[in-house]
């Protein structure tokens, strides 16, 4: 707390003074032992600590020196690759990761794969990640999940399935992999297979803490979604109800259930739940879009327009809000505004939605 610490302004000066002292003694150690790689590690560590004033060129210079001392140590190339990645020397980073792998640094498989993915080099991504799964004792599930959810190329999903099955051979009881497989199968439109994966999770997941409960609820929601797409609305509602029972503040369960109730001609129930979803998640554009869709279908066009304006204000890149506004203005015979909203809908739409939008 700056107000309670009158000497706060001295902190920066003290740090700068201490930092210079540290560098002085490390450099002194390097003078005495110029080929002791440990001294250079300490120097690189303190350069990293000087955040946000990190000097990448100086770090590369240090790693170059370390590599000149121990040219056959793989992980040194990996360290240098990370710095090159930060300064967007992608070719240099790739070359260093490959060199690290060649020298036996298997951790670099995962890092090389992430580098390919982050730079949209998807064709190159899968091979190093497959090797990471085979070679490493474990890989970071967070990254695997992140990559799969960020994917926009439907041709990649069978490859993701292969990756996940490879991981499952090593960790057959890891329920997170089953959940990702369920997600991938949904994207591949193989909903019955996705349901089988959700059934396995629901059978083996024990709700011991809040994280387990959220995981279980997410699986129920995935199963509900599969039945929803398969137009088995009663079954879908049954599982959305279970999600609501476990997580009463889950807006997605309310809005999906409200839509299904409306499709089953239970209009008032659907409208009430859609309104509840908006109250629970006032910053979620999807909740407003869903409510507006129901209002449009029962002739409450002014209310629907108000909610669609809110949705597009919350997320200017969501094509669904603009798509509904296009339809609504067309219903109001305001064709100019309908065209104005069609343009951002087309700009942000998924490939499969484009024919309808055009």
């Amino acid at each position: 707390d700056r107000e309670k610490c009158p000497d706060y302004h001295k902190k920066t000066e003290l740090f700068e003074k201490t930092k210079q002292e540290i560098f002085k003694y490390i450099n002194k150690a390097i003078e005495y032992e110029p080929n002791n790689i440990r001294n250079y590690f300490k120097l690189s560590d303190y350069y990293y600590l000087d955040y946000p004033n990190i000097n990448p060129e100086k770090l590369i210079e240090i790693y170059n020196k370390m590599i000149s001392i121990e040219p056959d140590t793989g992980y040194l190339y990996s360290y240098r690759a990370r710095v090159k990645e930060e300064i967007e020397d992608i070719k240099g980073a790739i070359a260093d990761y490959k060199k690290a792998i060649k020298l036996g640094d298997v951790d670099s498989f995962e890092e090389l794969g992430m580098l390919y993915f982050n730079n949209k080099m998807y064709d190159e991504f899968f091979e190093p990640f497959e090797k990471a799964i085979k070679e490493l004792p474990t890989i970071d599930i967070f990254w695997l999940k992140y990559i799969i959810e960020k994917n926009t190329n439907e041709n990649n999903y069978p490859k993701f399935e292969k990756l996940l099955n490879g991981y499952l051979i090593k960790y057959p009881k890891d329920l997170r992999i089953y959940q990702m497989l369920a997600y991938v199968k949904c994207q591949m439109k193989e909903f019955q297979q996705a349901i089988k994966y959700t059934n396995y999770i629901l059978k083996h997941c024990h709700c011991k803490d809040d994280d387990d409960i959220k995981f279980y609820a997410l699986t129920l929601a995935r199963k509900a979604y599969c039945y929803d797409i398969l137009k088995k609305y009663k079954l879908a509602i049954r599982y959305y109800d279970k999600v609501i029972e476990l997580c009463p503040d889950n807006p997605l369960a309310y809005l999906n259930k409200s839509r299904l109730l409306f499709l089953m001609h239970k209009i008032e129930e659907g409208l009430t739940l859609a309104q509840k979803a908006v109250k629970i998640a006032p910053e979620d554009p999807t909740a407003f879009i869903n409510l507006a869709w129901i209002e449009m279908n029962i002739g409450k066009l002014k209310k629907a327009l108000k909610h669609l304006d809110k949705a597009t204000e919350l997320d200017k890149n969501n094509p669904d809000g603009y798509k509904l506004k296009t339809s609504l203005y067309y219903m109001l015979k305001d064709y100019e505004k309908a065209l104005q909203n069609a343009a951002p809908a087309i700009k942000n739409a998924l490939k499969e939605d484009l024919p309808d939008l055009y």
Side-chain angles (χ1 to χ4, degrees):
D1 190 324
R2 297 187 183 197
E3 292 178 4
K4 293 179 182 178
C5 182
D7 293 332
Y8 182 85
H9 64 284
K10 296 179 183 177
K11 296 280 185 183
T12 305
E13 294 172 18
L14 183 63
F15 173 73
E16 286 298 322
K17 186 177 178 182
T18 306
K19 184 177 71 177
Q20 294 307 319
E21 289 289 310
I22 288 167
F23 282 141
K24 174 184 168 183
Y25 287 115
I26 293 175
N27 283 315
K28 199 74 176 172
I30 288 171
E31 277 183 45
Y32 283 109
E33 296 179 303
N35 292 321
N36 187 335
I37 202 166
R38 186 177 63 181
N39 293 329
Y40 294 98
F41 265 121
K42 286 187 181 293
L43 190 60
S44 68
D45 284 345
Y46 280 102
Y47 270 105
Y48 268 117
L49 285 172
D50 193 17
Y51 184 85
N53 303 310
I54 294 172
N55 184 334
E57 286 76 18
K58 188 65 181 176
L59 278 167
I60 288 175
E61 184 184 314
I62 294 167
Y63 289 132
N64 287 345
K65 181 63 179 176
M66 294 163 78
I67 288 168
S68 73
I69 296 168
E70 294 189 12
D72 295 329
T73 302
Y75 64 82
L76 295 177
Y77 295 90
S78 177
Y79 288 157
R80 190 172 68 179
R82 290 172 204 163
V83 183
K84 287 182 178 179
E85 195 173 345
E86 286 175 18
I87 61 173
E88 298 184 358
D89 177 8
I90 304 305
K91 285 185 178 179
I94 290 170
D96 272 349
Y97 281 132
K98 286 183 174 179
K99 180 71 173 178
I101 288 166
K102 190 175 179 180
L103 291 169
D105 181 40
V106 292
D107 289 333
S108 290
F109 280 123
E110 186 177 356
E111 301 205 44
L112 178 60
M114 283 303 305
L115 176 63
Y116 282 137
F117 184 84
N118 289 331
N119 289 278
K120 299 183 179 179
M121 301 166 75
Y122 303 125
D123 289 341
E124 292 87 352
F125 158 77
F126 286 96
E127 184 182 349
F129 235 82
E130 281 178 6
K131 288 180 179 175
I133 289 169
K134 287 179 183 176
E135 298 285 343
L136 296 172
T138 182
I139 62 168
D140 193 330
I141 294 296
F142 168 78
W143 284 120
L144 197 53
K145 185 173 185 289
Y146 168 83
I147 290 166
I148 290 171
E149 290 179 351
K150 287 288 181 183
N151 176 63
T152 55
N153 184 345
E154 62 185 21
N155 295 325
N156 284 337
Y157 287 115
K159 298 176 185 176
F160 283 128
E161 183 184 8
K162 184 182 175 184
L163 276 185
L164 292 167
N165 282 326
Y167 195 93
L168 210 54
I169 291 169
K170 295 177 79 170
Y171 298 96
K173 295 182 180 179
D174 191 332
L175 297 183
R176 296 171 300 173
I177 301 299
Y178 288 93
Q179 193 172 84
M180 282 186 258
L181 279 165
Y183 173 82
V184 166
K185 283 297 185 182
C186 283
Q187 300 305 312
M188 293 168 69
K189 297 180 173 53
E190 296 178 18
F191 299 106
Q192 293 293 353
Q193 188 62 44
I195 289 169
K196 287 181 181 179
Y197 285 125
T198 62
N199 287 341
Y200 182 89
I201 297 167
L202 296 174
K203 182 179 178 181
H204 293 90
C205 182
H206 304 293
C207 297
K208 295 177 181 178
D209 54 35
D210 288 344
D211 287 339
D212 286 345
I213 290 169
K214 287 177 184 175
F215 185 83
Y216 192 87
L218 180 61
T219 306
L220 287 169
R222 181 89 64 218
K223 188 171 183 178
Y225 170 77
C226 290
Y227 284 128
D228 186 338
I229 298 298
L230 292 168
K231 296 187 177 181
K232 297 181 178 181
Y233 296 152
K234 288 183 179 179
L235 272 174
I237 286 173
R238 183 192 302 174
Y239 286 101
Y240 284 133
D241 281 340
K242 289 182 179 182
V243 175
I244 291 167
E245 185 182 337
L246 282 172
C247 302
D249 292 332
N250 185 314
L252 199 60
Y254 286 105
L255 71 88
N256 281 332
K257 183 181 174 183
S258 71
R259 177 177 46 78
L260 295 185
L261 287 169
F262 183 84
L263 291 172
M264 294 167 70
H265 306 293
K266 297 181 179 181
I267 294 167
E268 286 303 319
E269 288 181 59
L271 183 61
T272 301
L273 280 184
Q275 290 166 340
K276 187 164 185 175
V278 165
K279 285 180 181 177
I280 292 170
E283 301 301 317
D284 184 351
T286 310
F288 286 97
I289 291 168
N290 180 64
L291 176 58
W293 175 76
I294 292 175
E295 289 168 337
M296 281 175 64
N297 279 283
I298 59 177
K300 295 184 177 182
L301 301 187
K302 287 185 179 179
K303 282 189 175 182
L305 183 56
K306 179 183 173 184
H307 290 130
L308 287 174
D309 283 339
K310 181 66 178 176
T312 50
E313 177 190 318
L314 287 168
D315 185 356
K316 292 178 172 57
N317 297 317
N318 188 325
D320 294 332
Y322 294 107
K323 181 180 176 181
L324 271 186
K325 282 173 88 170
T326 302
S327 297
L328 195 151
Y329 278 120
Y330 184 83
M331 291 165 73
L332 293 169
K333 297 185 179 180
D334 190 339
Y335 304 124
E336 193 61 41
K337 285 187 179 177
L339 285 170
Q340 287 171 10
N341 282 278
I346 289 168
K347 180 182 175 183
N348 296 297
L350 295 172
K351 185 178 178 181
E352 59 264 29
D353 291 335
L354 283 172
D356 281 344
L357 287 168
Y358 280 120

